[in-house]
């Protein structure tokens, strides 16, 4: 599973685009006219602002955006009813988190896929990583597994695939004795100033303006990457909500594809009609 340019408000944790949430949030949503969507980071907000316009123009739906700085709060907010939808997470991440909310959530539409990458500000190729180099990976279950897959695919380590939620301790081969440091996903990009390399989720890489010249390795997009497609998520009881389906339709358009390309270049790819080989 990506921006954070919204200043002091975002530093506090959230930034709301448009009219703030009110005590009548649920009643407004039920009318089919206003839907509140949680996203993570500024670049996701930029993309969704185009969707906001399309949803209003095509379906007369008012979308309010709420921007979070971490991956935990958006699911919690949908589960407790303070958000209608969120759009930030891969299918694999969703599967690890939904049990924490009594499986009350459900994916309702694909958005994009982002090949996660290994970055470095010190080295320009994998082979330059020295013995004992420190490599940072996200510490949440889904993203850490993905990061380990990237490091393994790059030929840097091997790990025990029989473990349900593998972590650094489950690495079985590490010939160059890399030190694998686990940190919160939102902090991975910031650590690049003090470590040798880091696996950074695309939204956070975009926020940090990490350019192609800092990429050491890119995750392949193939059938194995199906679990890393991002989804719009709602409460399970609202899975077939007609208004929410229209929000998904407003997202899954040729115009959104064009906006994805303009905003992110090759960093993200529309995934609702993608064919993985």
């Amino acid at each position: 599973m990506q921006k954070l340019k919204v200043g002091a408000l975002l530093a506090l944790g959230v930034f709301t685009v448009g009219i703030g949430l009110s005590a009548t949030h649920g009643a407004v949503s039920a009318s089919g006219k206003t839907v509140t969507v949680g996203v993570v980071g500024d670049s996701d907000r930029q993309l969704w602002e185009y969707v906001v316009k399309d949803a209003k123009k095509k379906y007369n739906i008012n979308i309010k955006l709420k921007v979070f700085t971490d991956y935990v709060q958006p699911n919690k907010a949908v589960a407790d009813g303070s958000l209608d939808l969120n759009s930030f997470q891969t299918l694999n991440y969703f599967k690890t988190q939904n049990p924490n909310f009594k499986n009350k959530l459900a994916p309702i539409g694909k958005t994009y896929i982002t090949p996660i990458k290994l970055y470095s500000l010190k080295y320009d190729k994998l082979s330059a990583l020295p013995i004992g180099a420190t490599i940072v990976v996200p510490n949440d279950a889904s993203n850490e597994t993905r990061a380990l897959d990237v490091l393994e695919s790059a030929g840097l380590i091997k790990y025990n695939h029989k473990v349900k939620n593998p972590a650094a301790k489950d690495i079985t081969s590490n010939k160059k004795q890399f030190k694998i440091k686990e940190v919160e996903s939102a902090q991975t990009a910031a650590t690049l100033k003090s470590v040798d390399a880091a696996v950074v989720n695309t939204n956070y890489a975009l926020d940090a303006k990490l350019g192609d010249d800092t990429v050491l390795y890119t995750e392949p997009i193939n059938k194995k990457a199906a679990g890393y497609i991002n989804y719009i998520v709602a409460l399970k009881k609202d899975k077939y909500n007609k208004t929410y389906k229209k929000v998904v339709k407003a997202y899954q358009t040729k115009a959104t594809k064009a906006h994805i390309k303009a905003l992110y270049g090759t960093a993200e790819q529309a995934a609702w009609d993608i064919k993985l080989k």
Side-chain angles (χ1 to χ4, degrees), residues 188-202:
T188 51
T191 66
L192 282 169
K193 295 178 180 179
S194 59
V195 303
D196 298 293
V199 178
V200 184
N201 290 79
T202 302

Side-chain angles (χ1 to χ4, degrees), residues 180-195:
I180 308 301
K181 184 178 180 180
E182 299 157 311
V183 305
E184 202 275 324
S185 296
Q187 302 304 316
T188 51
T191 66
L192 282 169
K193 295 178 180 179
S194 59
V195 303

Side-chain angles (χ1 to χ4, degrees), residues 137-154:
V137 297
N139 65 3
D140 59 274
S142 175
N143 284 307
E144 183 161 11
T145 300
R146 189 178 187 183
L148 293 177
D149 282 338
V150 168
L151 298 182
E152 187 172 75
S153 178

Side-chain angles (χ1 to χ4, degrees), residues 2-15 39-47 66-71 74 88 184-190 200-210 264:
Q2 293 53 3
K3 296 177 134 174
L4 304 183
K5 303 174 185 176
V6 294
L9 287 176
L10 186 53
L12 291 174
V14 296
F15 179 82
V39 299
V40 175
D42 196 46
S43 65
D44 266 356
R45 176 192 59 78
Q46 289 176 311
L47 178 59
K66 188 173 182 180
V67 182
F68 295 82
T69 58
D70 68 80
Y71 287 159
F88 76 98
E184 202 275 324
S185 296
Q187 302 304 316
T188 51
V200 184
N201 290 79
T202 302
N203 61 323
Y204 294 125
L206 289 169
D207 291 345
K209 297 186 180 302
L210 296 176
Y264 316 129

